Each structure stands twice: as structure tokens, then as C-alpha cells.
Amino acid sequence: DGVYSKSGFNLFYNLELNPLEILTGKEATIDLYHSKIKVNIPSCVDINKQMRVKGKGLKTRRGFGDLIITIKVKELSEYEWRLVEQLKKGDNFRD
């Protein structure tokens, strides 16, 4: 359906988060074909690594494959970028 891709019995899912959610973490709800699951995304998640949720992929004769989640960063609007630039001027964001 375009939301998932698969390889064998594993499902691959792209989860889009905004930069604030990546910094602070989030409890995301993922709508699977057979259920909804909640996944805790830790703060400062590494967007270059995939998260594996065992047993939430496609059904096999021996159980289920895994769900592989790739974190993607949502694009910021021009206004949001201006706010980030303002934050960078604060004491906590200086070198």
C-alpha cells in the first residue's frame, strides 16, 4: 500500500519525526496491518540507524518476522528555520 516495504517476512516502515521529536523523544503509534503498536522513540535518536521491533512483521509458519523502523526527519518551514536560528543565539547553544 506504499506505507510499508518488505523483505522476506520483515516489514520496513519509515517514521517521520520533526526535529523537536527527535531531540526530546516520542511515543509513536504505528498502524500495522493486523494491529496498532506503540513504540518509544528515545530522545536524541540516531537517525542513521534502524530500530527493530521483533515479532511485528509478516506471519510465518514459525511465528512472525520483524518490523524495521527507519527514522526520517520532517522538513522545516522557513518560519521554523528562523526559530532555530534564534535558538542558536541562546547561551545553551553556543560553543
Side-chain angles (χ1 to χ4, degrees):
D1 62 4
V3 176
Y4 302 94
S5 60
K6 69 180 187 96
S7 176
F9 293 102
N10 292 331
L11 286 178
F12 292 83
Y13 180 79
N14 290 330
L15 178 62
E16 280 196 343
L17 299 176
N18 66 49
L20 187 58
E21 292 169 330
I22 289 170
L23 286 173
T24 61
K26 176 183 173 87
E27 181 179 84
T29 300
I30 298 176
D31 193 5
L32 296 173
Y33 59 96
H34 53 76
S35 65
K36 289 184 180 186
I37 64 167
K38 292 188 185 235
V39 178
N40 286 319
I41 307 300
S43 60
C44 297
V45 64
D46 185 347
I47 60 172
N48 295 315
K49 292 187 179 179
Q50 295 177 322
M51 298 177 63
R52 180 179 301 267
V53 183
K54 291 205 174 270
K56 295 300 180 181
L58 298 173
K59 187 173 184 175
T60 72
R61 290 185 179 145
R62 293 182 272 160
F64 286 86
D66 297 335
L67 172 66
I68 312 297
I69 302 169
T70 302
I71 305 296
K72 300 288 184 183
V73 182
K74 289 182 181 178
E75 291 293 320
L76 293 178
S77 69
E78 187 176 316
Y79 172 73
E80 292 165 331
W81 274 116
R82 285 196 305 268
L83 291 174
V84 169
E85 291 298 322
Q86 290 297 316
L87 278 173
K88 287 169 50 177
K89 295 176 184 175
D91 291 338
N92 289 328
F93 295 92
R94 291 187 188 146
D95 290 336

